């Protein structure tokens, strides 16, 4: 999506919808991406791979699932704009290997609900690049399993915004 809007499930109370990226593909967000209440975005089904590059605009997603299928790869690069999300998940694939990456490099990750157990599921790589990780709790209490620098020489740091509590569980985290 380059400019403009892509809206899936516009009724905030009754809508449901899933935007699937499968095979090998990419979604770039420079404008607005909105998935309504009880909606999600998922990709990488059955060995596929996909990535989202957000360089501006805003995306509102109830559940962001980075690896939906077996032997899949899903990556989200937050390089600008605002990502409003209730949960970021690796997906449940019954022990079959897959790979999920959430890469902070500028932009704001904003919580849309309290989630102190799995705002971002354990099992994803959570890396911070030069643009840094900006996390807005938006008045909610949220938990990250860990957060690590991609490269200490390019680390943009962690900035917490909002009045809620940000918990980083792993003592081995960079921050």
């Amino acid at each position: 999506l380059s400019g403009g809007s892509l809206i899936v499930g516009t009724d905030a109370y009754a809508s449901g919808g899933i935007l699937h990226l499968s095979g090998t593909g990419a979604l770039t967000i420079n404008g607005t991406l909105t998935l309504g209440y009880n909606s999600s975005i998922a990709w990488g089904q059955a060995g596929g791979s996909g990535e989202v590059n957000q360089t501006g605009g805003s995306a509102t997603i109830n559940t962001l699932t980075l690896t939906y299928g077996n032997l899949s790869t899903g990556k989200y690069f937050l390089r600008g704009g605002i990502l409003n999300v209730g949960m970021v998940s690796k997906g449940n694939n019954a022990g079959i290997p897959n790979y999920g990456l959430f890469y902070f490099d500028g932009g704001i990750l904003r919580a849309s609900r309290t989630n102190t157990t799995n705002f971002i599921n354990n099992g994803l790589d959570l890396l911070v690049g030069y643009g840094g990780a900006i996390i807005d709790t938006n008045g909610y209490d949220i938990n990250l399993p860990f957060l690590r620098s991609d490269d200490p020489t390019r680390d943009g740091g962690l900035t917490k915004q909002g009045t809620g509590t940000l918990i980083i569980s792993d003592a081995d985290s960079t921050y």
Side-chain angles (χ1 to χ4, degrees):
L1 178 66
S2 181
S5 297
L6 171 63
I7 300 173
V8 178
T10 59
D11 183 324
Y13 297 101
S15 68
I18 299 175
L19 173 61
H20 286 279
L21 300 177
S22 60
T24 299
L27 171 66
T28 299
I29 302 169
N30 294 318
T32 301
L33 170 67
T34 302
L35 281 78
Y37 178 78
N38 201 24
S39 297
S40 63
I41 183 171
W43 61 86
Q45 190 166 356
S49 63
E51 67 181 50
V52 173
N53 291 289
Q54 183 174 353
T55 59
S58 66
T60 302
I61 303 166
N62 185 43
T63 301
L64 173 62
T65 304
L66 295 180
T67 57
Y68 188 72
N70 301 335
L71 303 171
S72 61
T73 300
K75 300 174 184 178
Y76 198 105
F77 295 92
L78 182 58
R79 294 188 165 118
I82 299 171
L83 172 60
N84 298 288
V85 68
M87 177 179 169
V88 180
S89 171
K90 183 177 178 186
N92 185 2
N93 298 309
I96 297 174
N98 55 28
Y99 177 73
L101 167 69
F102 193 96
Y103 192 82
F104 295 91
D105 195 16
I108 298 170
L109 177 66
R110 180 175 290 149
S112 63
R113 67 176 185 241
T114 291
N115 196 332
T116 57
T117 56
N118 61 355
F119 176 69
I120 296 183
N121 279 35
N122 202 2
L124 290 173
D125 278 343
L126 304 175
L127 299 177
V128 180
Y130 183 75
I134 304 168
I135 301 173
D136 181 354
T137 58
N138 197 26
Y140 298 107
D141 298 334
I142 60 172
N143 181 53
L144 303 180
F146 66 89
L147 189 61
R148 293 189 176 86
S149 174
D150 176 32
D151 177 345
T153 63
R154 299 183 312 171
D155 183 0
L158 169 64
T159 302
K160 187 246 181 218
Q161 298 177 343
T163 58
T165 301
L166 173 61
I167 301 163
I168 301 177
S169 303
D170 188 347
D172 292 328
S173 290
T174 303
Y175 307 96

